[in-house]
Amino acid sequence: MFRTALRNVLAHKGRLLMTTLAVMLGTAFVAGTLVFSDTLGEALRTQNSKSYTDIAVTVSDHEAGFRGYDHGARVTTGPTLTEESRAKVAALPGVADARGVVSGFAGIADKKGALIGNGFSTTGTNYVPGTDGTDPRYPLVEGRGPKNATEIALDAKTADKGGYKVGDTVRVAVNGPVMELKLTGTLRTNDPRVSAGGSLAAFDTATAQQLYLSPGRFGELDVKAKPGTDDDALLGAVKQAVPQGDNIEARTGRELAAEQDRMIKQGTKFLSTFLMAFAGIALFVGIFIIANTFTMLVAQRTKELALLRAVGATRRQITRSVLIEAFLVGLTASVAGLLAGIGIAVGLKSFLNGPMDANLPDGPLIIAPSTVVAAIAVGVLVTVLAAWLPARRASRIAPVAAMSSAEQPATQKSLVIRNTIGLLFALAGAGALAAGVAGKEVKTVGLGAGALLIGVFVLTPLLSRPLINLFAPLLRALYGTPGKLAKENAIRNPRRTAATASALTIGVTLITSLTVIGASVNKAVDDAAATDLKADYAVTMENFSMLSPEVSTQIAKAPGVTATSVVRTIPVETGADGSDSDWVTAVDATTIDRLVTVKVKDGSADALKEGKLMVSAGSSGQSRYRVGEALAVTYPDGSKGSLTVGAVIEHNSVLAGIVAPDAVVGPHALPGSGLDKVLVKGANGPTGELKQAVRDATGGNPLIAVKGEKDIKAENRQMLNGILNMMYGLLGMSVVIAVLGVVNTMAMSVFERRREIGMLRAIGLDRLGIRRMVRLESLLIALFGGLVGIGLGVLVAWAGVRTLADDVKGITTVVPPVQVAGFLLAAAVIGLLAALWPAFKAAKLDILGAIKSE
């Protein structure tokens, strides 16, 4: 039976080509994901280990965070790391050097004033020269390090982007005034934040301390050990030498490197899992193609299999023979997919480092044995499992019945069982969807969507006839006999049509649901930006850090500005015992109603002006507090107070949670804490002159963004659309595999109907009619898959949108008609393109030879 299976594979290799390609593409996705994530992870770990090569112990002050990234980052309640601390550590036996480190963020402007790099990784630090005048952390490319407050050094890539050369004046800012500093040198760095598209600015130590902490204070001490010194013993000595406090922590470089390795491993694992989900979708689509192919092969070899049964082959041997064929196909495709996956990983890294400018670290290509085993095992298992049902069906054909017919129709019993199972799954899925929507449970909606999809896939043979019949009048009217024949061929074998269409349905379902959810979120966010915000501009930091409090005063003095309000969030402890924590949004009570739409549900519209609170009702329309209720609060500075709820307002995207007058709660914020944003209203609306005046008032700080309504909408759309485009790209593989399925089905169907096609040619149907018949049949199958996919996608998206109702204000299901129509048109184009080769082959068949064929 093995020789028989091998002969069948070789005899039908042309018909198995598309199946092999489908498996190969799926396993290539799997292999490429594993190779890329392993290679990236190893490169990042190697880079990370280099960062700790000469660090034996690190002492960190957890209260010395990046200035502006959190509230009160410059305030100290515990001991600090000072020059005295560094000197004590440096004097310990076994210490070769102790370096004080200061870190923060620093925006570098190019010569046009625009920020260089992304706002999230604009890194600032101190340059600590050794005895040779250089800092070993940052090897010099050109020039020298900074020596005073008027100088700066940049990483070489940032300098190139900005067009700066040593000696030029560079505009630099943190969250305060812009500084103009002389560029003294360019540096190299392995900092992953810089590699990810950020920038590095190095100041002399005194300047960095002034900018990020306070004079004489360090955020970290890096200790280098003398040769032969035990790190653990040195750690104990360092702990005794530095100040004692909950905010001070000392660890070995080895521990830090291990922790970073764990974080890198988690990150690459997440990336791998994310990509593998789409690889799983592609393989799932491939299952339909594999099962359809083997079903058709078994049907075409019915007489052959019956003859084997007649001469003594058992059912088990017939099943085993078909499964061996599947195993050989899967093994061949998996090996090819593994090789293709390695190529994909190499190409992806080159693409990210090239056009995408991702600056991934260099490293060898990692092809782990587990990757090889996983890729081959997945491909073989998917192929064998998909072929199991056709194999079982082949073994149950009675020899005498098989010899009398080329294809055995499905029994009434099997159809009843199939439709019953499908109906049960569909009902269970619909019920779970309804329960998930009612309870706003995303997991329940996900499970319901999965069950519903399975149920519809099982029921597609039942659905195919009525849906395809919808197009019958149009086909007859436009194409006459070829159109009628195409419709009859499409519904002749509902199972085959359903299996072919289902592969396309999966991709269309996912793409449609993503599109509808994206359009719904975009519409809700746009509406919120248009209705909630009355201000002409919102001033924020590009990296979502805190604005300097001085910015509000500067903006208020700008020409054309008629009203401003700070918006800052202040953490408080609530309750008599301070057991609960909350955030208070502080705003200017006298101007906020001119800058934000405030709709009062209960209480006084002048609550803020009276020194009272306004409480947002939230998306659910319910508020935790009632008008007149008093809240006992403990402020960040330790003082206590009582605030009274004066009004409950409708949910607002700007004013969330508890809203208080800044004049009441602002004085209790920690010194040095910043603002979330500043809202600005102009005399003549959002004009270019006003925007420029606001920018000028902030000193042209490249990290400060002045955003109007259009800017906010565009930013939100850009972020969401970027995610959607990435999803579309990853789903593209499943669509390609679905196309292969349509090509495969049509090609094998043409081979199967050679005699029929020959008879049609003999009675007068010309080659154009034959080509048109095949193309229209493929078109009908693709449209059927597209219609089912769009319907399912819209339903799943509706359920998903309903679960977001409490998180996204005013969200409703938005079905973009142009895009949805485009998906159906794309399905039609796929069907027509997939039929080009089968239609050509059908039209080229020799009439007499086709009539004589079995």
Side-chain angles (χ1 to χ4, degrees):
M1 296 307 293
F2 178 81
R3 288 196 300 270
T4 301
L6 181 60
R7 178 187 62 80
N8 286 330
V9 170
L10 296 176
H12 303 119
K13 54 183 177 292
R15 280 175 263 175
L16 290 168
L17 176 61
M18 296 302 171
T19 298
T20 303
L21 286 175
V23 178
M24 185 194 78
L25 290 174
T27 53
F29 206 150
V30 172
T33 295
L34 294 175
V35 171
F36 177 73
S37 58
D38 288 346
T39 299
L40 178 61
E42 182 62 27
L44 290 173
R45 285 189 290 271
T46 300
Q47 184 186 65
N48 176 59
S49 65
K50 291 179 181 178
S51 302
Y52 295 97
T53 300
D54 63 344
I55 298 178
V57 176
T58 290
V59 185
S60 302
D61 179 355
H62 295 305
E63 289 186 348
F66 280 16
R67 176 180 176 182
Y69 273 112
D70 51 28
H71 300 272
R74 298 177 67 193
V75 176
T76 303
T77 59
T80 61
L81 298 174
T82 63
E83 176 59 30
E84 182 183 356
S85 307
R86 191 204 67 79
K88 284 184 178 180
V89 173
L92 291 173
V95 173
D97 185 33
R99 180 191 302 120
V101 178
V102 184
S103 297
F105 64 82
I108 313 299
D110 61 20
K111 294 186 177 181
K112 295 182 179 179
L115 179 68
I116 300 175
N118 63 65
F120 303 101
S121 304
T122 51
T123 308
T125 189
N126 61 322
Y127 189 83
V128 187
T131 55
D132 61 351
T134 64
D135 189 332
R137 298 174 300 165
Y138 307 115
L140 286 167
V141 176
E142 186 180 2
R144 61 171 176 82
K147 294 182 178 180
N148 54 56
T150 65
E151 297 178 344
I152 191 173
L154 301 177
D155 68 281
K157 190 167 185 180
T158 297
D160 288 340
K161 286 181 179 179
Y164 291 119
K165 297 181 180 179
V166 173
D168 288 350
T169 299
V170 180
R171 288 170 54 82
V172 189
V174 288
N175 64 346
V178 174
M179 301 172 288
E180 294 189 350
L181 307 177
K182 180 182 178 181
L183 181 64
T184 62
T186 57
L187 317 166
R188 288 198 305 270
T189 177
N190 289 324
D191 192 322
R193 291 169 295 183
V194 180
S195 299
S199 60
L200 175 70
F203 306 92
D204 70 287
T205 297
T207 302
Q209 289 174 330
Q210 181 65 39
L211 289 172
Y212 300 124
L213 297 172
S214 57
R217 183 181 175 189
F218 296 108
E220 184 178 294
L221 299 179
D222 291 340
V223 183
K224 182 180 180 180
K226 293 179 180 178
T229 303
D230 180 71
D231 289 354
D232 293 326
L234 183 60
L235 175 64
V238 169
K239 285 182 176 180
Q240 296 298 319
V242 298
Q244 304 299 305
D246 293 338
N247 61 305
I248 304 297
E249 181 182 19
R251 289 184 291 176
T252 64
R254 184 177 62 253
E255 291 174 333
L256 287 172
E259 181 181 335
Q260 290 295 319
D261 282 349
R262 286 193 295 271
M263 293 175 64
I264 291 170
K265 185 176 181 180
Q266 290 176 355
T268 53
K269 183 179 179 181
F270 173 80
L271 173 65
S272 178
T273 302
F274 177 75
L275 294 176
M276 287 293 282
F278 290 90
I281 293 172
L283 287 169
F284 184 61
V285 172
I287 287 175
F288 289 91
I289 298 173
I290 298 164
N292 210 22
T293 300
F294 278 94
T295 297
M296 296 177 75
L297 283 174
V298 166
Q300 291 169 12
R301 289 171 17 217
T302 301
K303 290 186 177 181
E304 174 189 331
L305 295 174
L307 182 60
L308 288 173
R309 290 291 312 281
V311 298
T314 64
R315 287 185 174 181
R316 180 174 296 179
Q317 286 177 313
I318 295 295
T319 301
R320 191 181 301 156
S321 173
V322 177
L323 293 180
I324 289 173
E325 291 182 48
F327 174 82
L328 294 174
V329 171
L331 181 62
T332 302
S334 298
V335 172
L338 174 63
L339 297 176
I342 294 171
I344 289 173
V346 173
L348 179 60
K349 184 177 179 182
S350 299
F351 174 74
L352 292 174
N353 276 336
M356 298 301 293
D357 198 25
N359 289 313
L360 300 179
D362 293 328
L365 191 68
I366 305 299
I367 306 173
S370 58
T371 297
V372 176
V373 172
I376 294 177
V378 165
V380 170
L381 284 175
V382 166
T383 310
V384 172
L385 288 175
W388 184 76
L389 280 177
R392 291 274 295 173
R393 196 175 297 123
S395 69
R396 292 180 177 180
I397 299 174
V400 175
M403 287 180 182
S404 62
S405 175
E407 182 172 353
Q408 301 298 307
T411 64
Q412 188 66 28
K413 179 181 178 181
S414 67
L415 291 175
V416 170
I417 293 175
R418 178 184 180 124
N419 292 337
T420 302
I421 293 173
L423 185 61
L424 290 175
F425 265 100
L427 290 175
L433 273 182
V437 169
K440 303 295 190 296
E441 292 289 339
V442 176
K443 289 184 178 179
T444 305
V445 168
L447 291 174
L452 180 62
L453 288 174
I454 293 173
V456 171
F457 290 154
V458 176
L459 289 172
T460 42
L462 187 65
L463 299 173
S464 61
R465 185 179 294 272
L467 287 178
I468 289 176
N469 277 332
L470 292 176
F471 300 98
L474 181 62
L475 291 178
R476 282 198 299 267
L478 293 178
Y479 301 106
T481 300
K484 181 180 179 180
L485 291 172
K487 189 267 292 186
E488 294 297 331
N489 289 334
I491 63 176
R492 176 188 299 181
N493 192 326
R495 283 187 173 184
R496 180 185 303 172
T497 298
T500 305
S502 294
L504 187 59
T505 296
I506 296 170
V508 175
T509 298
L510 294 173
I511 290 173
T512 301
S513 60
L514 285 173
T515 302
V516 172
I517 291 174
S520 302
V521 172
N522 273 332
K523 177 67 163 52
V525 173
D526 285 353
D527 289 346
T531 58
D532 292 349
L533 190 65
K534 294 195 292 187
D536 295 324
Y537 293 103
V539 182
T540 62
M541 294 289 282
E542 288 279 10
N543 54 2
F544 298 106
S545 59
M546 299 292 105
L547 282 165
S548 173
E550 293 80 11
V551 170
S552 176
T553 305
Q554 295 167 350
I555 293 174
K557 297 177 181 178
V561 173
T562 59
T564 64
S565 174
V566 302
V567 178
R568 59 170 143 183
T569 49
I570 299 174
V572 297
E573 294 176 351
T574 57
D577 56 355
S579 57
D580 296 328
S581 59
D582 215 324
W583 292 88
V584 172
T585 301
V587 298
D588 290 335
T590 57
T591 59
I592 192 64
D593 56 347
R594 298 172 59 188
L595 300 162
V596 178
T597 301
V598 181
K599 296 181 179 179
V600 177
K601 296 184 65 175
D602 188 19
S604 171
D606 294 325
L608 293 177
K609 296 176 183 178
E610 297 168 358
K612 298 180 180 180
L613 303 178
M614 284 185 169
V615 182
S616 173
S619 300
S620 63
Q622 302 297 319
S623 172
R624 291 179 297 166
Y625 304 105
R626 297 187 302 274
V627 173
E629 184 175 352
L631 274 70
V633 298
T634 302
Y635 295 108
D637 62 359
S639 61
K640 297 180 182 295
S642 178
L643 299 173
T644 302
V645 178
V648 175
I649 60 175
E650 290 186 8
H651 175 70
N652 188 290
S653 58
V654 182
L655 304 179
I658 303 172
V659 185
D662 188 64
V664 174
V665 300
H668 300 291
L670 292 175
S673 62
L675 310 176
D676 294 338
K677 66 184 72 172
V678 176
L679 303 179
V680 182
K681 188 77 172 177
N684 301 313
T687 63
E689 291 78 9
L690 176 62
K691 187 173 186 178
Q692 187 59 47
V694 173
R695 289 197 58 82
D696 292 341
T698 61
N701 189 327
L703 276 173
I704 294 180
V706 182
K707 302 175 183 177
E709 180 183 326
K710 291 183 179 179
D711 301 317
I712 295 172
K713 289 181 178 180
E715 184 178 59
N716 292 331
R717 283 183 174 273
Q718 183 179 13
M719 185 182 302
L720 185 57
N721 291 341
I723 295 173
L724 290 177
N725 290 335
M726 179 180 63
M727 296 285 195
Y728 292 154
L730 293 172
L731 287 172
M733 184 69 76
S734 62
V735 175
V736 170
I737 293 175
V739 173
L740 294 177
V742 179
V743 174
N744 198 38
T745 298
M746 297 310 303
M748 296 185 71
S749 179
V750 167
F751 178 84
E752 192 176 72
R753 302 201 301 260
R754 285 178 300 170
R755 176 180 290 181
E756 177 185 320
I757 292 171
M759 292 296 295
L760 290 172
R761 289 292 314 282
I763 61 175
L765 190 62
D766 59 12
R767 288 182 175 179
L768 177 61
I770 294 294
R771 286 198 297 268
R772 183 170 291 170
M773 176 187 72
V774 175
R775 287 198 299 265
L776 291 176
E777 180 183 351
S778 177
L779 173 65
L780 286 172
I781 293 173
L783 286 174
F784 169 54
L787 281 173
V788 175
I790 289 172
L792 285 172
V794 171
L795 179 60
V796 171
W798 169 81
V801 167
R802 296 308 306 152
T803 63
L804 297 174
D806 285 346
D807 300 312
V808 182
K809 177 190 175 184
I811 189 170
T812 57
T813 304
V814 177
V815 181
V818 175
Q819 288 173 277
V820 170
F823 296 151
L824 189 61
L825 179 62
V829 172
I830 285 172
L832 291 174
L833 293 177
L836 290 179
W837 178 62
F840 175 79
K841 296 291 290 184
K844 287 292 185 180
L845 285 176
D846 178 70
I847 297 176
L848 294 178
I851 293 174
K852 292 179 181 179
S853 64
E854 291 290 334

